[in-house]
Each structure stands twice: as structure tokens, then as C-alpha cells.
Amino acid sequence: MAHPQLSASGRVFARTLAFAAASLGTALALAAGAGDDRALFGFSAAASVQQRALEQRFDAAIDPADLRAWLKTMSAEANHVGAPHNKANAEMVRDLFRQWGWDAQIEVFDVLYPTLKSHTLELVGPTKFVASLKEDAIEGDATSTRTDGMGPYNAYGADGDVTAELVYLNYGMPQDYLDLARRGIDVKGKIVITRYGGGWRGLKPKLAQEHGAVGCIIYSDPQDDGYSAGDVYPKGGFRPPTGLQRGSVLDMALYPGDPLTPGIGASKGAKRLALKDARSVLKIPVLPISYADAQPFLAALGGPVAPGRWRGALPITYHMGPGPAKVHLMISSDWGLKPLYDVIAKIPGSQDPDEWVVRGNHRDGWVFGAWDPLSGHIAMMAEAKAIGTLLKSGWRPRRTLVYASWDGEEPGLLGSTEWAEQHASELKSKAVLYLNSDTNARGFLHPEGSHSLQRLVNDVAADVQDPETHVSVQARLRAHMQVQGLDTDVSDPDQLVARERNARLADAGGDLPIGALGSGSDYSAYLQHLGLASLDMEYGGEEDQDGVYHSNYDSFDHYVRFGDPGFAYGVADAKTIGRIVLRMADAPVLPLQFTSVADTLADYVAQLRKLTDDKRAQDARVARLIDARAFALAADPTRVVGPPQREQPVPQVDLAPLDAAVARLKTAANDYDTAYLRAVGGEVKLTDARRRQLNSVLRALEQKLTNERGLPGREWFKHFIYAPGALTGYAVKTVPAVREAIEGGRWQEADEYSAFTARVLDGYTDSLRQATALLRGS
């Protein structure tokens, strides 16, 4: 499911970064700063020597030929939920884990999963056109000729048979509705057509439904991932004319997982909601189409010419409607329960078996799934095989390892969420880390997650060599952040702020920042519901994946040409994530650092203050222009566009409780990190009993950032620092209860949750102080 939505210019820019990194040569090698005699974070000097020797044996057991063979087998047939090949893949993975020495089982859940029975999309006026709703075979792509895959549909859109006028809605995001309103256009009773991009696909029909539309069509415009972005498949990697993007439109901003069993595992005996009461299932029909099918519908529209930022790359004039285009949309689905097959493999810990390091990657795809998700899954399999080799040599992990091959991620993070909900109590009492991956390809390391893990990620990244430039992946990522900081061609202001911050920290020469997690892959239940320290890691940024995302062309043949031809980055992914797993498994005291948490939270609070100040200034300026009739005077009298909506004045938001809480955390974090380095260096001796007590406190620390109250309006999400945005879908909102209240102009709510989140942070700080006392022996 993971898929960064990049602009065409952003994708081109990203591919130039390889040359920038390579040209720095020796300077980058020095920037890595890693020598074999460097003590590893979390290990004494003597233990570091042993750990490095273990990791070298681990590396030697990883063979790119294995990755290639596994990918070819697993992507040979349709691999969606319910497909026979998906179950066969689960059984193959289970059996391989057993061969490698793991205790592996398949755990089954029964979930609501609608599958397409029939669908129709046709233009019924003023001209006639019937959409093909098919993807053509591509020469040189063996699986593209198969017809047993999942047809084009958006899972969890409603069944329906509607006929209505058409309205073009750009990306279908909140700002687009404001643009329509300024032109006097209403979507109520209409079918809307939006293009992919600009935000998560599920928000497009959700917002359309809330505005009264009776149906939603989502198409892939060539400007975003077709011929405007690069050569189309098979000449290049981008989307061909009949390529389309399947995907879920489940309202995962409310809760992911099985719609009928929120908060509990979807076991056979679970109490289920009636379908009509499932809040995450939409009420209008939704259908994805290709740009070949979309063009006749868009060309038939009248009404105002769309503004410049709404125009794609099709050879037509983009109009907004409504009409005269009239559309008939029909979708019928089977709404029965389907089985999920999660493969769960374990190696019990030799000393601390009740402390778990959990690692996962999903296995199901929308069709063949070579890129998404199998490119990441085969790297996880390589890790598991290499760990099996270590087992045969007599090594045993200190802590228990749990590896998971998830099913049902694509429809709504189903398999991972149901397993997390089913085993919630045990996970909260045992799991020290959840480490996720999804897709993987050529490019840069992309780490996101809990900031207590930032130091560990940097320590590992300094030890893994980039296959293309032969410097450390940390050094190459530093160059990437520095160069990317020069590119201001970003439409999302949050993304621009993140780029500028990353470049500033990369220039400083210390640890590189890791990103914050929103949603879009299987970490959600573990971080945002259970409160487990979590990471999501992959390589990418140089590939041409965008054009085959969730399509019939996400195939073995496409991946070996445009993704990772020699599987060198699959090997790098396995080495990187494998090191984190091994170090988390074997470090006597969990290798966590907290000054990075405090510094990051200070940045988040500063962003909240800037967000409020910027909104106050912008709203006041708009109000002055409205009063001066500036919008009326600047408008073309022949093309009616009204002024923007006047907003109420922005009051002062009381962020003082958060400022104070972060200041307390900074002091506590510095105290802990100082004491930790002394303990690891041998200056303080910990008894086994005290070490276990300390690790118990550290394991539960991330949970202190959660609260059973949950976020306002979506109580399943319990983490008060990281959450997907209610109106962004995948993209993260940090300090979400406060940030989204500010963005929504709910000022009393912003003050309330500023104080509430500060109390949550104080609980975290108190536990961190307890950990420091245990380290000091006091």
C-alpha cells in the first residue's frame, strides 16, 4: 500500500540525487564516520566486536538469487485476498520458515471483504461511450496477459446503480470544494470525477459523499504518473493509457482493519457489527479508471474552464461541469466474509523470552504485487533465512523474535490489525519493537518511526554500504537531504517544512532525523493503537514505480527492469533491517535514546505556534481584501468567481502547557541518555533483576504517549504524538489533537487538547525519570 505521491518534477528531481551523491565521493565516505572499532550503540566495546562478527555472518547468508527466485514464484499469479495463489504463498512462506528453524504457523481471521461481481461505466449524454474497464496486455510482460486477477474496483465503496450529471473535481480534496463553491457549483446529486494524487484515495469519495454526491470516479491523469512524468511502460516505467489504480476506500482515518470488528480480532466467534452500522464503509459507489477511459468523460464536460492547477496532461480542455456530460455508474459486489492467512514465525529468546522484537511485511497484492508488497517481503524472507543460518551455528537471540507475513494489508491493514487486536494484551506486555517494511527498490534509505529509535537507526545506517555509490547508506541519505533542501517545488507546506528541517539537521553533521509515521502500511495498529515503539523502513526514490502502482503491471517483469534489477537493494534492505532486529534482540539494555524525542517534540510545538500565527495573518489579509472588494475588482467579469469564504478571527492558542511539558522532557531525556552511556560503557553495573526492571519500564514508554480516550472523533487512534490526518489519510499529523483543531478553527478544542497532550507528555517524562533512577542504581 505504501506509495509516496510525488509531483512529476519531484520525481525527476529525486532521480538526479544519485549523481549528486556520487559526485561527493571521498567527502561522503568521511561523512559516514564509521570504523570497525567503533562501539555500537547499546553495546560495550567488547560486545560490539562480537556483535559485528555476528552481523558479518548474517550478511554472508543473504543471496540475491534467493530474492529473485522468491519474487518470481510469489508474483506469478494473482495474489489478492481470497486468491488461491495468496493462500499458496502463505503456505510456502510458513514451510520455508520451518526449514530455516523457526516455529511457524498460519493464523486465520475472517473479515468483511467485498469482491467485485459486475460493474458498468458509460457516458449516456450528450454522446455515448462505454468504458472498457480493462488493462491491455503489454509485450514483454508475461503476467499482463492473465485474466484471473482482480478487476478494477475500489474496495469498500458501496454497491449502487446511479445516473447523474458529471462534475470534475480535480483531486477531490477540501480546497477543491472551496474552488467549486466560488464558481457556484454544487456536487449534490451529481457523480464526481477526480484524479488520483493530492491526498489519499479514500478521502475523495468520503468527501464527495459528505457533499451529497451520488457516485465517485477516480482516474489516473498522465500528468501525475503517465507520459508527462516519463516514458510509459514498456519503454519506461510509467503508467500506460489503460493502466489503472485499484485500492481501498475504507475510511481508515476512523479505524483500519475489519469494518465489522473494530477494536477486537476478527476470529470466528467474534461479535460483529451489521454492515449498515460499519462506520468505515462508504455509502456511495466508487470506481477507478484509466486515463484512456477517462478522456471521453472529461471531454464531454461543459461549464467553466478549470483553473490552471486543476488541469492535467490529457489533450483536452479541462472543464468543471456540471454536465452536459451524463454518466451511468453501476457496481455490484459480494459482501461476504473472506479468510485471511497471517504467517507468524517465532524464535524464543534465550534469556528474555518475554521481550519480543516483532517484524512484519504484508504479502497480499492487488494483482501480482511484485513491487507492492513482495519486493519488501522477499527482503524479510532473506533476513529470516540468514537468522536461521545463525541458529544452526549455535547462536540464540537474547529476546524472542516474531516475524509476520501479513495478509489483507491492501484492503485496509486487515491482517496486521486483526492480529494486533487479537493479541493486544500480550503485545503491550512483551513487544519492545514493531519493525515494518512494504515496498523496496533502488535509491535512498527511508526510515520513519518512533524517535526514541533515531540513534539506533543512524548507528545501523552508518554500517551498511549503499550498492550504487559504495558509501554508507547514512552518508548517501545525508547528501539526499542536503540536496533536497534546495528544492522548494513542493505544494504541501508540511512537506516543505520537513525538507527544510531535514536539510538543516543533515548540514549539522549529527544524527539524521527519521520521519514521523502517519498511515498506509501495517505499523498503524502497533504504534497508534497499542503504543508500541515502531519503525517503517525501505529503500527507494530512483525507481519508476508510480506508473504501475496497484495495477496489472505491478509484475516481476516490470520490477526487474525498473525496480531493483540485480536485487542489490533487496540485500541492502535485509542487511539494514536485520541489523536493527539483531541489535534490539541482543542489547542487554534496550538501545533507545530520548534527547531526539525531546528535540523533535520541541520542533512540533514550534510548528503549532507557526501554524496558528500564519493562519491568523492569512485570514486577516483575506478579510481585508474582501472588505476592499479586491476579489471582485480583480475578477474577469465574464467568468464569475466569487471571493473566498471569510473566516472568523484567529484567537491566541494556549500552547504554554506543551512548552512546559517539553522543557521537563528535555531535562529528563538528557539525564537518561547520559546515564545510559555510562551504564553501557561499564561505569555502572546492573544486576539481571534491575536490568529486567529497567527494560520493562523502557518497553512501556511509548505506551505512555497514548491514552484510552483516543483522538477526538476517532477513538481507535490512541497516540497523541503521531497519527494519520483525518483529512490527509496517509500523511502524518504530529500532535494531532491540537494540530487538527487549529487547522479546523476549533479554538476551544485546541486549548483543551494542548493541556491534555501536555499531561500525556508528563506521564512519559515521569516514566523516563524512573528509568534513569534504575540506571543509576538509586
Side-chain angles (χ1 to χ4, degrees):
M1 182 179 291
H3 175 56
Q5 295 284 359
L6 298 176
S7 67
S9 60
R11 283 190 296 265
V12 173
F13 183 79
R15 291 196 294 273
T16 69
L17 294 175
F19 298 102
S23 69
L24 292 175
T26 304
L28 283 183
L30 293 172
D36 286 345
D37 58 348
R38 174 180 58 89
L40 301 178
F41 181 62
F43 295 83
S44 67
S48 295
V49 174
Q50 296 175 349
Q51 185 69 20
R52 277 207 169 85
L54 179 77
E55 292 170 2
Q56 288 170 0
R57 287 156 47 206
F58 173 84
D59 290 352
I62 299 172
D63 185 351
D66 285 340
L67 280 75
R68 181 183 178 91
W70 294 328
L71 185 66
K72 190 173 182 69
T73 297
M74 296 181 76
S75 64
E77 298 179 37
N79 193 34
H80 54 269
V81 170
H85 190 60
N86 182 32
K87 184 181 180 184
N89 279 344
E91 292 167 345
M92 182 192 84
V93 170
R94 176 200 61 195
D95 294 345
L96 285 173
F97 269 91
R98 288 175 175 175
Q99 289 177 27
W100 300 331
W102 297 68
D103 177 12
Q105 310 294 331
I106 292 178
E107 192 162 346
V108 180
F109 296 97
D110 295 305
V111 299
L112 177 70
Y113 178 65
T115 53
L116 185 66
K117 289 165 59 178
S118 62
H119 56 358
T120 298
L121 178 66
E122 54 186 336
L123 183 66
V124 296
T127 57
K128 305 289 186 182
F129 173 76
V130 179
S132 71
L133 306 180
K134 293 180 180 178
E135 294 173 290
D136 293 341
I138 295 287
E139 184 177 357
D141 189 310
T143 53
S144 70
T145 62
R146 298 184 66 99
T147 59
D148 56 344
M150 180 66 68
Y153 87 124
N154 289 124
Y156 301 108
D159 285 358
D161 190 335
V162 294
T163 301
E165 284 188 312
L166 189 66
V167 173
Y168 173 52
L169 196 50
N170 192 26
Y171 291 119
M173 293 292 105
Q175 180 59 48
D176 298 322
Y177 285 93
L178 298 179
D179 289 343
L180 281 184
R182 293 181 65 184
R183 291 159 177 81
I185 300 173
D186 188 354
V187 304
K188 187 174 183 179
K190 311 294 194 302
I191 294 172
V192 301
I193 181 168
T194 79
R195 52 177 170 159
Y196 273 110
W200 180 56
R201 84 180 70 79
L203 290 171
K204 302 169 190 290
K206 177 183 178 179
L207 292 170
Q209 175 181 299
E210 291 174 351
H211 283 82
V214 297
C216 180
I217 304 163
I218 314 176
Y219 82 101
S220 300
D221 196 283
Q223 181 184 70
D224 298 304
D225 62 4
Y227 53 72
S228 184
D231 290 324
V232 302
Y233 195 44
K235 181 180 180 182
F238 287 91
R239 195 176 301 276
T242 61
L244 52 86
Q245 182 188 144
R246 297 155 183 80
S248 176
V249 293
L250 189 71
D251 192 354
M252 288 188 285
L254 288 177
Y255 61 91
D258 177 33
L260 304 184
T261 59
I264 61 173
S267 58
K268 287 190 180 299
K271 184 177 180 180
R272 288 173 165 80
L273 299 173
L275 178 58
K276 64 181 178 61
D277 297 323
R279 296 169 60 210
S280 59
V281 177
L282 295 186
K283 308 300 183 187
I284 64 172
V286 190
L287 188 66
I289 64 174
S290 66
Y291 58 85
D293 273 344
Q295 183 169 330
F297 292 92
L298 293 167
L301 280 167
V305 173
R309 63 182 177 278
W310 282 44
R311 300 170 197 166
L314 289 170
I316 59 171
T317 300
Y318 285 71
H319 289 264
M320 304 171 83
K326 195 170 186 179
V327 173
H328 172 224
L329 168 64
M330 185 281 293
I331 299 173
S332 175
S333 306
D334 174 358
W335 287 85
L337 299 183
K338 308 294 190 304
L340 298 178
Y341 303 101
D342 285 345
V343 182
I344 308 297
K346 296 181 180 180
I347 296 173
S350 60
Q351 298 182 49
D352 298 310
D354 287 338
E355 295 177 2
W356 291 2
V357 178
V358 186
R359 164 82 172 99
N361 199 110
H362 76 100
R363 188 189 64 253
D364 66 296
W366 277 113
V367 191
F368 308 111
W371 286 82
D372 181 10
L374 294 175
S375 59
H377 193 281
I378 57 174
M380 183 179 74
M381 292 169 69
E383 299 161 35
K385 183 179 180 182
I387 289 171
T389 301
L390 298 180
L391 288 174
K392 292 173 184 176
S393 73
W395 169 84
R396 290 291 183 276
R398 174 189 290 269
R399 298 181 176 88
T400 294
L401 302 183
V402 181
Y403 269 49
S405 170
W406 303 124
D407 198 1
E409 188 266 5
E410 294 295 0
L413 316 182
L414 302 181
S416 59
T417 300
E418 299 316 308
W419 196 79
E421 292 175 342
Q422 183 76 8
H423 301 279
S425 178
E426 190 172 25
L427 284 164
K428 291 172 78 171
S429 67
K430 294 181 179 179
V432 300
L433 170 70
Y434 176 72
L435 205 168
N436 190 71
S437 58
D438 202 313
T439 61
N440 192 70
R442 295 188 311 111
F444 310 96
L445 178 64
H446 185 67
E448 296 179 318
S450 303
H451 284 83
S452 57
L453 296 159
Q454 183 169 290
R455 174 84 280 275
L456 175 62
V457 169
N458 275 265
D459 204 53
V460 165
D463 279 351
V464 178
Q465 186 181 87
D466 177 73
E468 291 179 324
T469 62
H470 308 297
V471 301
S472 77
V473 299
Q474 185 196 44
R476 192 169 191 226
L477 180 58
R478 188 180 302 279
H480 174 77
M481 289 180 172
Q482 290 169 324
V483 175
Q484 195 175 52
L486 301 175
D487 180 22
T488 58
D489 182 21
V490 180
S491 58
D492 181 356
D494 290 341
Q495 187 179 0
L496 183 59
V497 168
R499 281 189 177 188
E500 291 172 345
R501 177 177 181 268
N502 289 348
R504 183 178 73 252
L505 293 173
D507 287 343
D511 280 350
L512 298 174
I514 65 175
L517 284 171
S519 190
S521 197
D522 287 305
Y523 48 78
S524 275
Y526 300 89
L527 176 64
Q528 294 147 354
H529 186 63
L530 299 183
L532 307 182
S534 300
L535 285 172
D536 183 71
M537 299 182 71
E538 62 188 38
Y539 286 83
E542 295 176 332
E543 75 286 352
D544 292 347
Q545 183 212 1
D546 290 10
V548 299
Y549 181 65
H550 287 189
S551 79
N552 207 41
Y553 312 122
D554 181 355
S555 65
F556 176 82
D557 290 321
H558 190 286
Y559 186 78
V560 297
R561 285 187 61 194
F562 302 108
D564 185 15
F567 292 85
Y569 278 93
V571 171
D573 195 40
K575 288 180 178 180
T576 306
I577 294 177
R579 275 169 169 72
I580 292 178
V581 168
L582 293 174
R583 295 183 194 183
M584 284 295 292
D586 280 349
V589 176
L590 292 171
L592 306 175
Q593 184 201 58
F594 296 96
T595 51
S596 52
V597 177
D599 290 344
T600 301
L601 282 168
D603 274 348
Y604 292 164
V605 176
Q607 290 170 22
L608 294 177
R609 184 166 281 106
K610 184 176 187 302
L611 174 66
T612 307
D613 291 345
D614 288 351
K615 183 174 176 60
R616 182 182 299 109
Q618 175 68 10
D619 289 354
R621 183 168 187 268
V622 168
R624 289 195 300 272
L625 293 175
I626 291 173
D627 291 341
R629 297 186 64 249
F631 292 101
L633 295 173
D636 181 344
T638 67
R639 295 183 175 91
V640 177
V641 179
Q645 181 178 332
R646 184 192 297 269
E647 302 289 346
Q648 293 297 315
V650 176
Q652 294 296 322
V653 176
D654 185 10
L655 299 177
L658 283 171
D659 289 330
V662 170
R664 288 189 287 269
L665 176 57
K666 281 190 171 184
T667 300
N670 184 68
D671 289 346
Y672 176 87
D673 290 350
T674 301
Y676 178 72
L677 292 177
R678 290 183 61 204
V680 170
E683 297 180 44
V684 178
K685 301 298 183 184
L686 295 175
T687 65
D688 280 347
R690 186 176 290 274
R691 179 184 60 78
R692 288 192 173 94
Q693 187 180 2
L694 171 60
N695 283 331
S696 178
V697 173
L698 293 173
R699 172 194 50 73
L701 257 174
E702 191 81 23
Q703 294 176 43
K704 296 295 183 179
L705 296 174
T706 68
N707 188 278
E708 282 304 305
R709 175 176 180 173
L711 297 182
R714 45 195 189 123
E715 294 76 14
W716 187 92
F717 290 95
K718 301 187 183 302
H719 206 294
F720 276 76
I721 305 303
Y722 314 115
L727 292 175
T728 60
Y730 286 174
V732 67
K733 292 293 181 180
T734 55
V735 198
V738 183
R739 183 180 295 270
E740 293 194 315
I742 293 171
E743 291 173 343
R746 302 186 299 275
W747 307 115
Q748 184 176 346
E749 183 179 309
D751 284 343
E752 175 190 349
Y753 278 97
S754 173
F756 185 86
T757 305
R759 292 194 294 273
V760 170
L761 284 178
D762 283 343
Y764 183 83
T765 299
D766 289 344
S767 288
L768 186 56
R769 287 173 176 153
Q770 181 185 357
T772 306
L774 288 166
L775 268 178
R776 290 171 172 170
S778 57

